[in-house]
Structure formats: C-alpha cells, structure tokens
Amino acid sequence: QVQLVESGGGLVQPGGSLRLSCAASGSIFRINAMGWYRQVPGKQRELVATTTSGGVTNYADSVKGRFTISRDNAKNTVYLQMNSLKPEDTAVYYCNVELIRSGGYSRYVDYWGQGTQVTVSS
C-alpha cells in the first residue's frame, strides 16, 4: 500500500503565501517524478509544477516566478511554496508521485493525493 498525505491548504488573501506539503509513505521502492496539479469545478485538472528525481523542475506559465516546487528525497516529500497568490489560483491542489512499489514490482505507477483546497480571496 502507498499513501500520499497532503497538507497546507487554506484561505489566504491576494498577495499572500501558502506552502503545500505531500508526504508519500508505505511500500515504496523508488520515486521518480513528483508534482502538483490543480482543478476547479467544471475544468480539467492542470499541471502546476513538477520535479524529477534529478531536480529538474517544470512550471505552468501562470505560476512561473511565484511558485516554487521542491522535494526532500529522504522524507519522500514534495513541497509547493506559493507566493503572490491571486484569486485565479483558487482550486483544489493535488500532489502526484510516480513511483515503483517495493515487493518485486518494476514499473512506475502514478499515485494521487486526496487534494487540498486553496482559496485566495479578500
């Protein structure tokens, strides 16, 4: 079994900051990419930021310069530091982890967190 536990969402005023965390635990052999996605009602889930095991990062144009993704490989945790938040950043944020389970598995599989609500409003 693999679990992803997210934390850090909430209500913040425009221009404020939040930090999201996502910790992966359970039967994990190896983690490759880790990332954050977001979704608003009626729209498709969209990529926010990703980071590879080698530390290469990728950001949506809408968050470049404001959001920073990082990871702690020793803790199997990925973070998203969100600064200068805007009302249009309001969404449910999901973490995504690409990993190989322990126990003789050999293929990477995507796992998703349960989602955490981020609301940017005055």
Side-chain angles (χ1 to χ4, degrees):
Q1 292 285 357
V2 173
Q3 299 84 36
L4 300 184
V5 178
E6 301 178 21
S7 61
L11 173 64
V12 64
Q13 292 186 342
S17 298
L18 283 175
R19 188 190 193 209
L20 306 183
S21 299
C22 173
S25 63
S27 304
I28 298 171
F29 173 67
R30 181 180 297 155
I31 293 178
N32 186 26
M34 306 180 84
W36 291 93
Y37 293 72
R38 65 187 182 187
Q39 189 170 23
V40 297
K43 292 190 176 181
Q44 288 188 331
R45 191 171 297 185
E46 64 176 8
L47 179 149
V48 176
T50 61
T51 176
T52 68
S53 58
V56 177
T57 58
N58 180 48
Y59 295 91
D61 287 342
S62 60
V63 307
K64 284 180 180 177
R66 301 187 298 121
F67 291 9
T68 302
I69 190 170
S70 61
R71 61 193 283 172
D72 184 333
N73 291 327
K75 297 181 179 180
N76 290 340
T77 299
V78 61
Y79 306 95
L80 185 68
Q81 178 66 44
M82 304 185 293
N83 299 328
S84 302
L85 282 160
K86 304 175 181 179
E88 50 264 43
D89 294 318
T90 296
V92 177
Y93 284 70
Y94 297 90
C95 71
N96 173 268
V97 177
E98 184 183 45
L99 61 86
I100 298 176
R101 288 180 59 185
S102 57
Y105 296 88
S106 60
R107 297 180 65 181
Y108 281 105
V109 177
D110 279 331
Y111 286 83
W112 291 90
Q114 79 280 5
T116 185
Q117 177 71 46
V118 171
T119 302
V120 185
S121 175
S122 55

